[in-house]
Amino acid sequence: MKSRRLGKSAIAVSDICMGTMTFGNETDEDGSHAQLDRFVEAGGNLVNTADVYTKGASEEIIGRWLSARP
């Protein structure tokens, strides 16, 4: 996956961003984690979330996924 610098920083982010609006609503936690795993395997590292996505459930799911990563 292609990446680019974030603004003038040295941080590289993937050209494709993964949206997580359905996490905790249409997509259960296992499915959400599987999608995140696949996105990272494909070279992605930019994830979009907001506290209004399923009343914060999306961020909680992402947090548990991050905590479980080696």
Side-chain angles (χ1 to χ4, degrees):
M1 183 177 303
K2 293 181 181 179
S3 64
R4 61 183 64 209
R5 290 176 55 156
L6 184 60
K8 295 181 181 182
S9 75
I11 299 169
V13 295
S14 53
D15 278 353
I16 298 173
C17 177
M18 180 172 179
T20 62
M21 184 174 68
T22 65
F23 287 11
N25 193 18
E26 290 98 356
T27 310
D28 66 11
E29 187 147 345
D30 289 339
S32 299
H33 288 188
Q35 287 179 23
L36 288 162
D37 288 340
R38 181 65 188 111
F39 182 64
V40 169
E41 288 169 8
N45 68 350
L46 180 59
V47 177
N48 171 275
T49 190
D51 61 354
V52 296
Y53 293 170
T54 57
K55 299 179 182 175
S58 173
E59 291 175 321
E60 292 173 2
I61 289 169
I62 294 166
R64 287 188 289 272
W65 175 79
L66 287 168
S67 294
R69 291 179 51 90

